[in-house]
Each structure stands twice: as C-alpha cells, then as structure tokens.
Amino acid sequence: MVKPIEIIQLKELSSADCTMNLEDININVTGINVMDTNNMNSWIKKGEIIVVGGEYIDIFFTEKYLTEVLTKIRVIITKKRYQSYIKKKYITLCTIYNVPIIFVENSYSWSDIISPIQSLIIRNQSNLLADVEHFHRTMLLAVSDKSMHKDICEIFYELIGWPVAIIDENFLLLDYSSGFNWLNYIDNTQKSILNVFDKIGTSYEGKDVIGILDQRKNLSKNNLKFFYIPISGAFQKKSYMILKQDKNTETLSEDLLAKIESFLLIYRLKISFQMNYKLINSHYQNIIFEDLLQLNEANKSTKEKISYLLGTKVLDFYRVVMIKEISTKSNYTFSQGDAYFINFKNSLINQKYINDSFLIFSRKNYWILLMPVTNIDLEEFLKSLVNLLDDFYQHSNYFIGVSESHPYWRLSLGYKEAEQSINILVSNYPSKRYLLYSKLGILKMFIDDQGKINQLYRDKMLETYIFPLKETDNKNRTELLSTLETFFYCGFSYSRTSKKLFIHKNTLRARIKRIEQILDVDIKHPDNLMNIYISFQIYHLVTE
C-alpha cells in the first residue's frame, strides 16, 4: 500500500501543488487509473489514484460525477494548467471527502508521472506480499508443525480417533485423514444426500446443531454412519466436514461437537489466510499485467524483470484469450469478484491443457489467459475451456474472444483483438461461445468498434451467393456449395479441385457452369470472386 505523502515525495511530484496537507491523510492508495473515457466511474476500483486532464476536466469536475467517484478514489492528479478550470466548490467537495487534488508541473508527460507512482505501488506491494507470506507461514506453523494443508484432518484423527474428511459441494475431496478409504466412499455416495438436513447434536450452550446424516442400509451392514457438518466462511464455496462414526451413534456428543467447532475454526483460519494471500498476489500480478500492456517494443531487461515479478518466465509469443461473463455475478463487489476469480483460477490450473507457461489475470470485467503459442490444439483447448466454464458458472451467459499470436511486447493489440471478438459475439452471435479473431478474415473491414456487422449487407451476401446453392443442394441432393468452396480454396485449379473432390475434371466444369447459372455470375470476374469470398466468411461465422 502507498500513502499519499509518499507520492508527493517522488522527484517528479516534489514541486507539485496540493489542495490538502497530505501528512494528515492516513489512507492507502491501491492503484492508479487514467480517465480516458466518459463513463469510467462504473469501473473505478476502490483506493485508486485518478489521473485526469484535457477534454475530461470539464466532465470529471462536475457535482454529479464527483459524488459518484469520491467515495472510491483516494487522490486526483492533474496538471497546473488546469487549475483555473476547476471551480472552488469542487475543490471543497473533494476536501470534504478527504480526496486531495495534486497539480503537477505542465512540463511532465503523463507517463513521467504515472510510471514512478506505479513503481512505488509495485515496490510497496512486493514488501507487503513478503510480509503477508511470512505472516501466513507463521500462522500455519502456530497451528501445526507440519506444512501440508492436508495434515489438518490427520491431526484431528490422531487426537480424536475418528477418521474425518472435507469435501466441497461437488464431492471433491479437499482434505482427509487416514484410517478409512475416503476415495471409495465418495465415489459411491450420491450428491442428493446434501439436501437432507437434520439435528446431529446439541452444543454446550443448548443449541441444536444441524447437519446431514448418511445412514444408508449398505453402510449399516458395515457398522458405519457418517455425519456431515456444513462449513461456512468468507472466500470459499460451500463445503462439508464428514465424520465417520459407528452405526449406533445417534447424535454427536457435546464434547465432540466442541472439538469439531475448534477444528473448523482452525480450518477456516487456514483457508482465510490462503485466500487473502492469493487475493493480494492476484492483485499484484494484475498490476504487472498493466505494465505488459504498456510495452511497445522488445526489451530484454524489462522482460526479465516482469518474469521475475510474476515468478515465471515470460515467453516470446502469446494469444490473448479473454473471458467475459454476462450475469448477476458480473455485479459482484470488488472483493467478491476477486474471490470469484481466484476460485476460477484454481479450477483452471487443474486442467490438462494448462501449465506454468500460461499467465492468468483479471482486468475490468474480463478474465485474461495469455496462452503460449505451442503445439496445443487451439480448438480442443477452447472446447475444454467451454466445458470448464459451463461447470464453473452453471450457465452459458459468457463469451470467449481469442486474438491472433503476438509477441509479448504487442499484447495490447492482442487484447484489443480478443475484446473485439467478444463484441462481435455479443452483438451478432449470442449463441456462440467463442470466436477466433483470425477467423474473421476480410470481415474485419465490415465491423464497427462495437463488433456489429451491417445486417443488411450480411443478409444480402448470403441471399445472393450462399442460400441459392444450399436450396439447390437440399432439393436435388447435389454438392454445389461445397464444390464452389473447394474450387475457391484450391486456387481455381480444376486439377487440384477434382482430385480433392474425387471427381473428373469434366464433372467439375459442369458443376461450375451450373453454379454460375444459379448465381447468375461469372466466377472469373474479380468483383464476383471477392463477393463469394466474403460470403463464405460470413456463412462460416454464422454457422460454426
């Protein structure tokens, strides 16, 4: 974290003017953002510095805009030349909200100001991360002299004598003790039992303890009964502690319930420490991702520095895989959204296609995967990702955009391509889950910034060059449409096309002549060639 007083002490800001005494402001700054759009108030993160200038001064410094953002931001930075444009009442309003305005020298570029502040934030975040990690390890060692998360159930078993396990709502084993074959038990247990709650005991305070009993007949034959105790806590999905007992146990004793409560307290504490560590680390990595997006030329030393900060080697080329969810979860608070992203990240890293060379970030309303350019089958990877997201979201209201391959210092272009792919899906093909920017071909020329295609033009092209052939094929069981496409992509070579289709050249010539008659075109004419190519691009985008 960074204090405002630390910012003003930077060399580039040492001669700046400020509307408040920063020594009296004991608040933390978490990041820096540049106002480069009219409606950025909807995605400003709490604790940020906002840099504003130029045409946005008159937009930002209004009572309506300020009252929307002042509860979130920590500091406003602008240049001295804009000081006279800001009305005194707005400076007073900022002061009421304890938000100072810093006026920097006009001679500095915005990058001259932003870069040292970002470096200060990263440096402090690194120190904080190290401190949190030390605290994290110290607390875990205080709970147990063993370092493995799985050991906590084993400790319970050694102290109490009853085998125990922890599962999530999908019956995934999170932790378990020895003394029982938990894997076999989970494989043969129906998830429906999680819907049947009952009293499982009474606490020392006389309160009923509610849980779930698994006392199926096949278990009774083996002298077994299982008690499920729900585990609640921040940052985690619903989970359950399972305690193995003998079949004659009606309810859990007060003494055992007290020990279980103590055990769950320690377990939640560990989960909380781990999640907070991941949240801070994730936020820290997202800041580094911003630095990656700012690169515009190859720089070996910068690449090595970013690799060091990320804890993994930055490769030469990546595709940007962007995920956008459209649902009520998109309106999560900042902390909820971060925890949601961490849960997704944990699910993702267990997939067979994912390894340490993938980089995973969140930015604005997107989740970002930097996918290394390797021999991984892209289509198979995306199908696997769709399956994962279907299970994770439990709905299909999301889109995936995939950029072309770019060097690490041109990822800003890849980011725009992936974002444009998502915009195209949202505006034109909401039933499709993903789109590769490379598949657009020449269609890129006919798409606006919102990803919208001229619908009249699209329909006209399909009706003129595609649908007549489809209708003929359906009616007469011919293959004119596929013949035309093969002829087109074989470079109009009769020899190559006939070999590809396993037909005689004369048969091919007859088909081409029939196609020209149906479409009323001369295929050799350049205008018609271009229109047919565009039509096939549109057709595949619609049907794939």
Short mmCIF file of all heavy atoms in Angstrom, two decimals, residues 31-69:
data_model
loop_
_atom_site.label_atom_id
_atom_site.label_comp_id
_atom_site.label_asym_id
_atom_site.label_seq_id
_atom_site.Cartn_x
_atom_site.Cartn_y
_atom_site.Cartn_z
N GLY A 31 -3.81 1.67 -6.41
CA GLY A 31 -3.52 1.62 -7.84
C GLY A 31 -3.70 2.99 -8.46
O GLY A 31 -4.06 3.96 -7.79
N ILE A 32 -3.44 3.07 -9.75
CA ILE A 32 -3.57 4.33 -10.47
C ILE A 32 -4.30 4.08 -11.78
O ILE A 32 -4.11 3.04 -12.42
CB ILE A 32 -2.18 4.97 -10.73
CG1 ILE A 32 -2.33 6.37 -11.35
CG2 ILE A 32 -1.29 4.07 -11.56
CD1 ILE A 32 -1.04 7.18 -11.34
N ASN A 33 -5.17 5.01 -12.15
CA ASN A 33 -6.00 4.86 -13.33
C ASN A 33 -6.07 6.18 -14.08
O ASN A 33 -6.04 7.25 -13.45
CB ASN A 33 -7.42 4.42 -12.92
CG ASN A 33 -8.03 3.46 -13.93
OD1 ASN A 33 -7.75 3.55 -15.12
ND2 ASN A 33 -8.86 2.56 -13.44
N VAL A 34 -6.16 6.12 -15.39
CA VAL A 34 -6.23 7.32 -16.22
C VAL A 34 -7.63 7.46 -16.76
O VAL A 34 -8.19 6.50 -17.31
CB VAL A 34 -5.22 7.25 -17.39
CG1 VAL A 34 -5.32 8.51 -18.25
CG2 VAL A 34 -3.81 7.09 -16.86
N MET A 35 -8.22 8.63 -16.62
CA MET A 35 -9.56 8.85 -17.17
C MET A 35 -9.43 9.03 -18.67
O MET A 35 -8.97 10.06 -19.16
CB MET A 35 -10.20 10.08 -16.54
CG MET A 35 -11.64 10.29 -17.04
SD MET A 35 -12.52 11.60 -16.20
CE MET A 35 -14.12 11.48 -16.99
N ASP A 36 -9.83 7.98 -19.41
CA ASP A 36 -9.75 8.04 -20.86
C ASP A 36 -11.07 7.70 -21.53
O ASP A 36 -11.11 7.37 -22.71
CB ASP A 36 -8.66 7.09 -21.37
CG ASP A 36 -8.86 5.67 -20.88
OD1 ASP A 36 -9.89 5.41 -20.22
OD2 ASP A 36 -7.99 4.82 -21.15
N THR A 37 -12.15 7.78 -20.74
CA THR A 37 -13.50 7.55 -21.28
C THR A 37 -14.51 8.28 -20.40
O THR A 37 -14.24 8.54 -19.22
CB THR A 37 -13.83 6.05 -21.31
OG1 THR A 37 -15.14 5.88 -21.84
CG2 THR A 37 -13.75 5.43 -19.94
N ASN A 38 -15.65 8.59 -20.96
CA ASN A 38 -16.64 9.39 -20.22
C ASN A 38 -17.28 8.64 -19.06
O ASN A 38 -17.69 9.25 -18.08
CB ASN A 38 -17.75 9.85 -21.18
CG ASN A 38 -17.22 10.86 -22.19
OD1 ASN A 38 -16.07 11.29 -22.13
ND2 ASN A 38 -18.05 11.23 -23.14
N ASN A 39 -17.36 7.34 -19.16
CA ASN A 39 -18.12 6.58 -18.16
C ASN A 39 -17.23 5.66 -17.32
O ASN A 39 -17.66 4.59 -16.92
CB ASN A 39 -19.22 5.76 -18.83
CG ASN A 39 -18.66 4.76 -19.81
OD1 ASN A 39 -17.48 4.82 -20.17
ND2 ASN A 39 -19.49 3.82 -20.24
N MET A 40 -16.00 6.05 -17.07
CA MET A 40 -15.10 5.19 -16.30
C MET A 40 -15.51 5.07 -14.84
O MET A 40 -15.01 4.19 -14.13
CB MET A 40 -13.66 5.70 -16.39
CG MET A 40 -13.40 7.00 -15.63
SD MET A 40 -11.65 7.42 -15.64
CE MET A 40 -10.97 6.14 -14.62
N ASN A 41 -16.44 5.91 -14.39
CA ASN A 41 -16.87 5.84 -12.98
C ASN A 41 -17.45 4.48 -12.63
O ASN A 41 -17.46 4.08 -11.48
CB ASN A 41 -17.88 6.94 -12.68
CG ASN A 41 -19.05 6.95 -13.64
OD1 ASN A 41 -18.91 6.61 -14.81
ND2 ASN A 41 -20.21 7.35 -13.17
N SER A 42 -17.91 3.73 -13.63
CA SER A 42 -18.53 2.44 -13.36
C SER A 42 -17.50 1.34 -13.07
O SER A 42 -17.83 0.32 -12.51
CB SER A 42 -19.41 2.01 -14.54
OG SER A 42 -18.64 1.90 -15.71
N TRP A 43 -16.24 1.55 -13.46
CA TRP A 43 -15.25 0.50 -13.20
C TRP A 43 -14.00 0.99 -12.45
O TRP A 43 -12.98 0.31 -12.40
CB TRP A 43 -14.85 -0.21 -14.48
CG TRP A 43 -14.53 0.66 -15.66
CD1 TRP A 43 -15.38 1.05 -16.64
CD2 TRP A 43 -13.25 1.23 -16.01
NE1 TRP A 43 -14.74 1.83 -17.57
CE2 TRP A 43 -13.42 1.96 -17.22
CE3 TRP A 43 -11.99 1.21 -15.43
CZ2 TRP A 43 -12.39 2.64 -17.84
CZ3 TRP A 43 -10.95 1.89 -16.05
CH2 TRP A 43 -11.16 2.59 -17.24
N ILE A 44 -14.11 2.15 -11.83
CA ILE A 44 -13.02 2.60 -10.94
C ILE A 44 -12.97 1.68 -9.73
O ILE A 44 -13.99 1.34 -9.15
CB ILE A 44 -13.26 4.06 -10.48
CG1 ILE A 44 -13.07 5.02 -11.65
CG2 ILE A 44 -12.33 4.43 -9.34
CD1 ILE A 44 -13.39 6.46 -11.32
N LYS A 45 -11.78 1.26 -9.36
CA LYS A 45 -11.60 0.39 -8.20
C LYS A 45 -11.34 1.23 -6.96
O LYS A 45 -10.69 2.27 -7.03
CB LYS A 45 -10.45 -0.59 -8.44
CG LYS A 45 -10.70 -1.55 -9.59
CD LYS A 45 -9.50 -2.45 -9.82
CE LYS A 45 -9.74 -3.39 -10.99
NZ LYS A 45 -8.55 -4.23 -11.29
N LYS A 46 -11.81 0.75 -5.84
CA LYS A 46 -11.66 1.48 -4.59
C LYS A 46 -10.19 1.64 -4.24
O LYS A 46 -9.41 0.70 -4.33
CB LYS A 46 -12.38 0.74 -3.45
CG LYS A 46 -12.57 1.59 -2.20
CD LYS A 46 -13.49 0.90 -1.22
CE LYS A 46 -13.71 1.75 0.02
NZ LYS A 46 -14.42 2.99 -0.29
N GLY A 47 -9.83 2.86 -3.86
CA GLY A 47 -8.47 3.13 -3.42
C GLY A 47 -7.54 3.63 -4.51
O GLY A 47 -6.34 3.80 -4.28
N GLU A 48 -8.06 3.91 -5.71
CA GLU A 48 -7.19 4.30 -6.82
C GLU A 48 -6.91 5.79 -6.86
O GLU A 48 -7.68 6.61 -6.36
CB GLU A 48 -7.83 3.89 -8.15
CG GLU A 48 -7.76 2.41 -8.43
CD GLU A 48 -8.24 2.07 -9.83
OE1 GLU A 48 -9.17 2.73 -10.34
OE2 GLU A 48 -7.68 1.13 -10.41
N ILE A 49 -5.78 6.12 -7.49
CA ILE A 49 -5.49 7.49 -7.92
C ILE A 49 -6.10 7.66 -9.30
O ILE A 49 -6.00 6.76 -10.14
CB ILE A 49 -3.97 7.72 -8.01
CG1 ILE A 49 -3.29 7.53 -6.65
CG2 ILE A 49 -3.65 9.11 -8.56
CD1 ILE A 49 -1.78 7.52 -6.75
N ILE A 50 -6.73 8.81 -9.54
CA ILE A 50 -7.28 9.08 -10.87
C ILE A 50 -6.50 10.23 -11.50
O ILE A 50 -6.37 11.31 -10.91
CB ILE A 50 -8.78 9.44 -10.79
CG1 ILE A 50 -9.57 8.27 -10.22
CG2 ILE A 50 -9.31 9.79 -12.18
CD1 ILE A 50 -9.46 7.00 -11.02
N VAL A 51 -5.95 9.97 -12.69
CA VAL A 51 -5.24 10.99 -13.46
C VAL A 51 -6.22 11.53 -14.49
O VAL A 51 -6.79 10.77 -15.27
CB VAL A 51 -4.00 10.40 -14.14
CG1 VAL A 51 -3.32 11.45 -15.02
CG2 VAL A 51 -3.03 9.85 -13.11
N VAL A 52 -6.41 12.86 -14.50
CA VAL A 52 -7.41 13.45 -15.40
C VAL A 52 -6.85 14.73 -16.01
O VAL A 52 -6.16 15.51 -15.35
CB VAL A 52 -8.74 13.73 -14.65
CG1 VAL A 52 -8.53 14.63 -13.47
CG2 VAL A 52 -9.78 14.31 -15.59
N GLY A 53 -7.13 14.94 -17.28
CA GLY A 53 -6.67 16.14 -17.95
C GLY A 53 -7.37 16.32 -19.28
O GLY A 53 -8.25 15.53 -19.65
N GLY A 54 -7.00 17.35 -20.00
CA GLY A 54 -7.54 17.59 -21.33
C GLY A 54 -9.05 17.76 -21.35
O GLY A 54 -9.64 18.43 -20.49
N GLU A 55 -9.69 17.11 -22.31
CA GLU A 55 -11.13 17.25 -22.52
C GLU A 55 -11.95 16.68 -21.36
O GLU A 55 -13.12 16.99 -21.22
CB GLU A 55 -11.54 16.53 -23.80
CG GLU A 55 -11.25 15.03 -23.77
CD GLU A 55 -11.54 14.34 -25.08
OE1 GLU A 55 -12.73 14.20 -25.40
OE2 GLU A 55 -10.58 13.98 -25.78
N TYR A 56 -11.32 15.85 -20.51
CA TYR A 56 -12.07 15.20 -19.45
C TYR A 56 -12.17 16.04 -18.18
O TYR A 56 -12.88 15.66 -17.25
CB TYR A 56 -11.44 13.84 -19.12
CG TYR A 56 -11.48 12.89 -20.29
CD1 TYR A 56 -10.33 12.60 -21.03
CD2 TYR A 56 -12.68 12.30 -20.69
CE1 TYR A 56 -10.38 11.73 -22.11
CE2 TYR A 56 -12.74 11.43 -21.77
CZ TYR A 56 -11.58 11.15 -22.48
OH TYR A 56 -11.63 10.30 -23.54
N ILE A 57 -11.47 17.16 -18.14
CA ILE A 57 -11.54 18.04 -16.96
C ILE A 57 -12.97 18.50 -16.73
O ILE A 57 -13.50 18.42 -15.60
CB ILE A 57 -10.60 19.25 -17.13
CG1 ILE A 57 -9.13 18.83 -16.94
CG2 ILE A 57 -10.94 20.35 -16.14
CD1 ILE A 57 -8.75 18.48 -15.54
N ASP A 58 -13.61 19.00 -17.78
CA ASP A 58 -14.98 19.52 -17.64
C ASP A 58 -15.98 18.41 -17.34
O ASP A 58 -17.04 18.66 -16.74
CB ASP A 58 -15.40 20.25 -18.92
CG ASP A 58 -14.63 21.55 -19.12
OD1 ASP A 58 -14.16 22.11 -18.11
OD2 ASP A 58 -14.47 21.98 -20.28
N ILE A 59 -15.68 17.18 -17.76
CA ILE A 59 -16.58 16.05 -17.48
C ILE A 59 -16.41 15.57 -16.05
O ILE A 59 -17.38 15.32 -15.33
CB ILE A 59 -16.29 14.89 -18.46
CG1 ILE A 59 -16.55 15.34 -19.89
CG2 ILE A 59 -17.13 13.66 -18.11
CD1 ILE A 59 -16.12 14.34 -20.94
N PHE A 60 -15.16 15.47 -15.61
CA PHE A 60 -14.86 14.92 -14.28
C PHE A 60 -15.28 15.87 -13.17
O PHE A 60 -15.92 15.46 -12.19
CB PHE A 60 -13.36 14.63 -14.19
CG PHE A 60 -12.96 13.87 -12.96
CD1 PHE A 60 -13.01 12.49 -12.94
CD2 PHE A 60 -12.55 14.53 -11.81
CE1 PHE A 60 -12.64 11.77 -11.81
CE2 PHE A 60 -12.18 13.83 -10.67
CZ PHE A 60 -12.24 12.44 -10.68
N PHE A 61 -14.93 17.14 -13.33
CA PHE A 61 -15.19 18.10 -12.26
C PHE A 61 -16.59 18.72 -12.40
O PHE A 61 -16.76 19.90 -12.74
CB PHE A 61 -14.11 19.18 -12.22
CG PHE A 61 -12.82 18.67 -11.65
CD1 PHE A 61 -11.79 18.27 -12.48
CD2 PHE A 61 -12.65 18.55 -10.27
CE1 PHE A 61 -10.59 17.79 -11.95
CE2 PHE A 61 -11.46 18.06 -9.74
CZ PHE A 61 -10.43 17.67 -10.58
N THR A 62 -17.57 17.84 -12.17
CA THR A 62 -18.96 18.26 -12.03
C THR A 62 -19.49 17.63 -10.76
O THR A 62 -18.96 16.60 -10.30
CB THR A 62 -19.81 17.80 -13.23
OG1 THR A 62 -19.80 16.36 -13.29
CG2 THR A 62 -19.28 18.35 -14.54
N GLU A 63 -20.50 18.22 -10.19
CA GLU A 63 -21.01 17.71 -8.91
C GLU A 63 -21.52 16.28 -9.05
O GLU A 63 -21.27 15.43 -8.19
CB GLU A 63 -22.13 18.62 -8.40
CG GLU A 63 -22.59 18.26 -7.00
CD GLU A 63 -23.48 19.33 -6.38
OE1 GLU A 63 -23.60 20.42 -6.98
OE2 GLU A 63 -24.05 19.06 -5.32
N LYS A 64 -22.20 15.99 -10.15
CA LYS A 64 -22.76 14.65 -10.36
C LYS A 64 -21.66 13.60 -10.46
O LYS A 64 -21.70 12.54 -9.81
CB LYS A 64 -23.62 14.64 -11.62
CG LYS A 64 -24.29 13.29 -11.92
CD LYS A 64 -25.13 13.38 -13.18
CE LYS A 64 -25.86 12.07 -13.47
NZ LYS A 64 -24.93 10.94 -13.63
N TYR A 65 -20.64 13.89 -11.28
CA TYR A 65 -19.57 12.91 -11.49
C TYR A 65 -18.75 12.72 -10.22
O TYR A 65 -18.44 11.58 -9.83
CB TYR A 65 -18.66 13.38 -12.63
CG TYR A 65 -17.95 12.26 -13.34
CD1 TYR A 65 -18.43 11.76 -14.53
CD2 TYR A 65 -16.79 11.70 -12.81
CE1 TYR A 65 -17.79 10.72 -15.20
CE2 TYR A 65 -16.15 10.65 -13.46
CZ TYR A 65 -16.65 10.18 -14.66
OH TYR A 65 -16.01 9.15 -15.29
N LEU A 66 -18.42 13.80 -9.55
CA LEU A 66 -17.59 13.71 -8.36
C LEU A 66 -18.26 12.92 -7.25
O LEU A 66 -17.63 12.11 -6.57
CB LEU A 66 -17.22 15.11 -7.85
CG LEU A 66 -16.14 15.85 -8.65
CD1 LEU A 66 -16.01 17.28 -8.17
CD2 LEU A 66 -14.80 15.13 -8.55
N THR A 67 -19.56 13.16 -7.04
CA THR A 67 -20.25 12.45 -5.96
C THR A 67 -20.32 10.95 -6.21
O THR A 67 -20.45 10.17 -5.28
CB THR A 67 -21.68 13.00 -5.77
OG1 THR A 67 -22.35 13.02 -7.05
CG2 THR A 67 -21.65 14.39 -5.21
N GLU A 68 -20.21 10.55 -7.48
CA GLU A 68 -20.22 9.12 -7.80
C GLU A 68 -18.87 8.46 -7.55
O GLU A 68 -18.82 7.26 -7.23
CB GLU A 68 -20.61 8.91 -9.27
CG GLU A 68 -22.08 9.24 -9.56
CD GLU A 68 -22.43 8.98 -11.03
OE1 GLU A 68 -21.57 8.44 -11.75
OE2 GLU A 68 -23.54 9.32 -11.43
N VAL A 69 -17.78 9.21 -7.67
CA VAL A 69 -16.46 8.57 -7.61
C VAL A 69 -15.68 8.89 -6.34
O VAL A 69 -14.75 8.15 -5.99
CB VAL A 69 -15.60 8.97 -8.83
CG1 VAL A 69 -16.28 8.55 -10.12
CG2 VAL A 69 -15.30 10.47 -8.85
#
